[in-house]
Amino acid sequence: MNLDAIRGLSQPDQRTCGPTSLVAAHLLLDPAYAATQNPKVFATAVVALHRELTAPSAFGRAQLPWPRALGTPPWAAARAMASFTGLPYRTRVVRLGGRSDDFDAVASAVTDGYPVPLYVGSAWLPRHVVLAVGPTAEGVDLYDPAHGRISELTRAAFEAGELTTTRQWHHPWFVIAPGRRPGAPGGTRGA
């Protein structure tokens, strides 16, 4: 994946971290789509996707309507990723005792070339969506749409619930990862 395609692209407003991460994933996955983008078109694509993700129907399936002011519902992010990749994506709730398995799902997917949206937040609420985009020696590269930066998220930080790369949002809440993938032994566990 060409990470330079998304480096520097940031969310157009305070509520669009989810669709910004998803448009960034689409850019990484589809070179033809990436060729149509520039910063102005990117912002328009993000706002349009946000409308779709919070509508009563998204990607051809009915869903509960969701107030745009609350951001992006995880199930809609999973549908968007499935649409971009052709693979079923599942929402995994990150559990305190299961963070190692959850990180394995993220690392496996990005190693295979599939971006993974992560919902992060405070100890009480999910508040921000970031995108795991590639493997590193100690973890994964993480795109933060708030600033358009890519930095490393280590396995140790994820498992400890101390995600210092996402500013004030330190706790992982949801992982939106592919389910079974061709060629992956057993695929990843969906929730």
Side-chain angles (χ1 to χ4, degrees):
M1 282 190 264
N2 177 14
L3 298 184
D4 289 335
I6 62 170
R7 202 178 309 272
L9 295 174
S10 58
Q11 62 193 73
D13 64 43
Q14 294 298 311
R15 298 176 310 232
T16 55
C17 55
T20 301
S21 291
L22 294 169
V23 170
H26 197 180
L27 289 168
L28 292 172
L29 291 163
D30 186 348
Y33 178 73
T36 68
Q37 297 295 304
N38 63 50
K40 184 176 180 182
V41 173
F42 178 79
T44 302
V46 166
V47 172
L49 181 59
H50 196 205
R51 270 192 225 104
E52 182 175 3
L53 293 168
T54 56
S57 175
F59 298 95
R61 292 185 57 195
Q63 65 179 12
L64 292 173
W66 188 263
R68 257 182 244 134
L70 297 179
T72 304
W75 56 85
R79 286 186 185 152
M81 291 303 298
S83 172
F84 301 154
T85 64
L87 297 173
Y89 267 67
R90 304 283 183 252
T91 301
R92 297 169 59 109
V93 176
V94 176
R95 300 169 324 279
L96 187 56
R99 287 185 181 154
S100 179
D101 289 343
D102 295 325
F103 192 84
D104 287 344
V106 173
S108 174
V110 299
T111 297
D112 290 346
Y114 299 105
V116 176
L118 302 173
Y119 283 66
V120 298
S122 68
W124 305 107
L125 290 170
R127 301 290 300 164
H128 189 48
V129 182
V130 295
L131 187 69
V133 294
T136 67
E138 298 293 321
V140 297
D141 275 331
L142 199 67
Y143 164 75
D144 186 344
H147 305 287
R149 292 189 198 121
I150 297 171
S151 56
E152 183 180 39
L153 170 61
T154 65
R155 172 183 284 280
F158 185 91
E159 289 180 2
E162 291 300 324
L163 284 64
T164 59
T165 58
T166 55
R167 304 196 124 207
Q168 74 264 34
W169 311 121
H170 299 282
H171 299 278
W173 277 85
F174 302 109
V175 168
I176 313 299
R180 292 192 177 274
R181 297 187 308 278
T188 56
R189 172 181 58 83

